Amino acid sequence: MSNDPEKVWPTGLTLKEAEEVHSYLIDGTRVFGAIALLAHVLVAVSTPWLG
Amino acid sequence: MARFRDTALSKIQTIGPRFLPFADVATEGVPLSRLLRLSLFQVTVGMALVLLVGTLNRVMIVELAVPATLVGLMIALPLVFAPFRALIGYRSDIHRSALGWRRVPYIWKGTMLQFGGFAIMPFALLVLSGYDQAADAPVWIGQSAAALAFLLVGAGIHTVQTVGLALATDLVSVDEQPKVVGLMYVMLLLGMIGSALVFGWLLDPYTPGRLIQVVQGAAVITVALNIIALWKQEPRDRARAASVQTQPEFRDAWRLFVQGRTAVGLLVVIALGTMGFGMADVVLEPYGGQVLDMAVATTTRLTAVLAAGGLVGFAIASRVLLDGADPVDVAWWGTLLGLPAFALIIAAGPLGAVTLFVIGTGLAGLGAGLFGHGTLTATMRRAPRAQVGLALGAWGAVQATSAGIAVALGGVIRDVIAAMTNAPEMRPEAPYTPIFALEFAFLALTLAVFFVLRRREAGLFQTTHYRPAQDRPDPSVANAACHVGTAAASTRGYP
């Protein structure tokens, strides 16, 4: 069971499956980052700080 | 030592999957608690709809003093994505994933879009309205940012709702579908009622800071509820992940979907009926405010009255459908109820009778509830199991597009008439009455199409004996197919 080289510790997912789950997290982080950047730009337009 | 390692590993392996977002196996009966949890995605959709069409509509026009045409345009923007629902549903049907997932990836992406849109929306709106130093900024910044925010939320709503409903359809058997449709609609409406009340309460008194808090709070709640809704719903499917079958192109899938059935006729009914019921959504609040002199907090509650009517409609529809009524019949009765509803609303203006108006609004909600439940149940029941996403995508595309067109049309008609006849002697209800009359006409037309659909369906049934359960290659439902087939036949009243 634990000798299957495809399975990743500790969840028992295969490498591909684990990478897919991880990709959702990565995508989410990227979207979050982009949105945060845009929101900061918009705030800076209406109420500039450090200026 | 090696034995100890093995036991430790196997222990950990049993713990691991508990913290991963898949369902264990495709269980036969999905408990109500799990369906309730899944239906939380509808709460976020309802919240988003209220925020866009109700609350922000008003805030933009009244508090932010954005021109009404621009507001109408912004609110109509999410509509751009509505026709793509069919495509989204189809894509989720054929989605390839190492996990064998078809629905979860799309719901997750849709959630991110919805979240992103709401996260930037308040700032975009403030810049759009020229708040503080944004007045010196170029106009296009505010306009494009607001447009982007509305587009993101719209794309998110369309994706989440289409694929979420497809997932719900996947999970339950045919005879349980009216229950799921009822649940989904009730949660949508609870989301709408609840958020209409909460937003109205939170935004009174209005401050820009409050607007930011409310809209961004909605963004966070969206992500939280959708994650709760998704968790451990869709089973992992290694067989599906491993299979390398060629999938039909969208055009072929569509042809397969419409042939030999009354799918297109049902879509026409959905389009017309939704137009009929939907046109009032945006003009009800200003109608109450300008014609009947209702206050801000009261007009926000109108949306709640409309939704409460719908809630009663869904309860009735769920009951009679589970008792074996034909969903198309239920939709017919709903359409019929819409006629007196809009007659009452038209009469309320000249008479100045707020009570009449509120009763009409509630009745319109009731009719829309019966209509919506009936048509969605019919769509689900007729969807071939391998094309659930496409079927619900088509339903959503037609429903959302016509709802959006109706809303836009309502706004345009009101503005055009108000601008044309800007005489002081004109009665305040003059811009509104044609809209409600038009809704009345649309509903009458829907009834006519129902009649045609019925005739065609009777003809098809005689020639082909179409049974909803016959085109289900999915082996996981094969054991359920026999009792589903008989149940479906009996629930539709066929011998």
Side-chain angles (χ1 to χ4, degrees), chain B residues 44-99:
Chain B
T44 70
V45 171
M47 189 172 69
L49 287 176
V50 163
L51 208 51
L52 292 190
V53 182
T55 313
L56 288 182
N57 179 36
R58 193 213 139 82
V59 166
M60 273 156 68
I61 291 178
V62 179
E63 274 84 7
L64 295 177
V66 178
T69 338
L70 192 57
V71 172
L73 199 68
M74 289 294 171
I75 289 176
L77 269 180
L79 192 60
V80 173
F81 284 112
F84 290 106
R85 278 188 180 219
L87 193 63
I88 293 167
Y90 156 78
R91 298 278 306 173
S92 81
D93 276 342
I94 64 161
H95 183 70
R96 294 196 55 79
S97 145
L99 296 159

Side-chain angles (χ1 to χ4, degrees), chain B residues 324-361:
Chain B
D326 186 348
V328 177
D329 276 341
V330 174
W332 155 274
W333 282 109
T335 316
L336 211 56
L337 265 181
L339 298 179
F342 288 110
L344 279 178
I345 294 176
I346 293 172
L351 297 176
V354 177
T355 334
L356 223 54
F357 177 51
V358 173
I359 292 174
T361 305

Side-chain angles (χ1 to χ4, degrees), chain A residues 9-10 13 17 20 24 46-47, chain B residues 9 12 97-98 105 133 236 238:
Chain A
W9 185 87
L13 297 177
E17 289 170 341
E20 192 180 311
Y24 297 133
S46 59
T47 48
Chain B
L9 272 180
I12 290 168
S97 145
Q133 299 191 36
R236 193 157 39 143
R238 285 203 162 126

Side-chain angles (χ1 to χ4, degrees), chain A residues 1-3 7-14 16-18 20-21 23-25 27-29 31-32 34-36 38-48, chain B residues 5-6 9-10 12-13 16-17 20 22 95 97-99 101 105 108-109 112 115-117 119-120 123-124 127 131-134 137 141 145 148 152 236 238:
Chain A
M1 181 175 68
S2 54
N3 294 332
K7 299 265 174 92
V8 197
W9 185 87
T11 54
L13 297 177
T14 65
K16 262 192 176 159
E17 289 170 341
E20 192 180 311
V21 172
S23 76
Y24 297 133
L25 189 70
D27 285 349
T29 313
V31 172
F32 189 90
I35 290 298
L38 190 53
H40 277 78
V41 169
L42 287 173
V43 173
V45 168
S46 59
T47 48
Chain B
R5 196 196 62 186
D6 278 354
L9 272 180
S10 64
I12 290 168
Q13 275 183 342
L20 287 173
F22 342 96
H95 183 70
S97 145
L99 296 159
W101 270 352
W108 175 240
K109 281 172 194 160
M112 291 314 292
F115 164 81
I120 60 170
F123 308 121
V127 172
Y131 172 74
D132 207 343
Q133 299 191 36
I141 295 183
L148 180 69
L152 284 174
R236 193 157 39 143
R238 285 203 162 126

Side-chain angles (χ1 to χ4, degrees), chain B residues 446-469:
Chain B
T446 312
L447 289 175
V449 179
F450 260 124
F451 189 69
V452 177
L453 182 69
R454 265 292 145 78
R455 291 283 297 273
R456 274 208 59 199
E457 215 162 48
L460 268 181
F461 181 68
Q462 275 165 9
T463 51
T464 62
H465 276 264
Y466 172 75
R467 279 216 337 239

Side-chain angles (χ1 to χ4, degrees), chain B residues 282-298:
Chain B
V282 167
V283 287
L284 274 180
E285 290 198 27
Y287 184 69
Q290 289 181 3
V291 180
L292 296 165
D293 295 326
M294 296 162 80
V296 184
T298 332

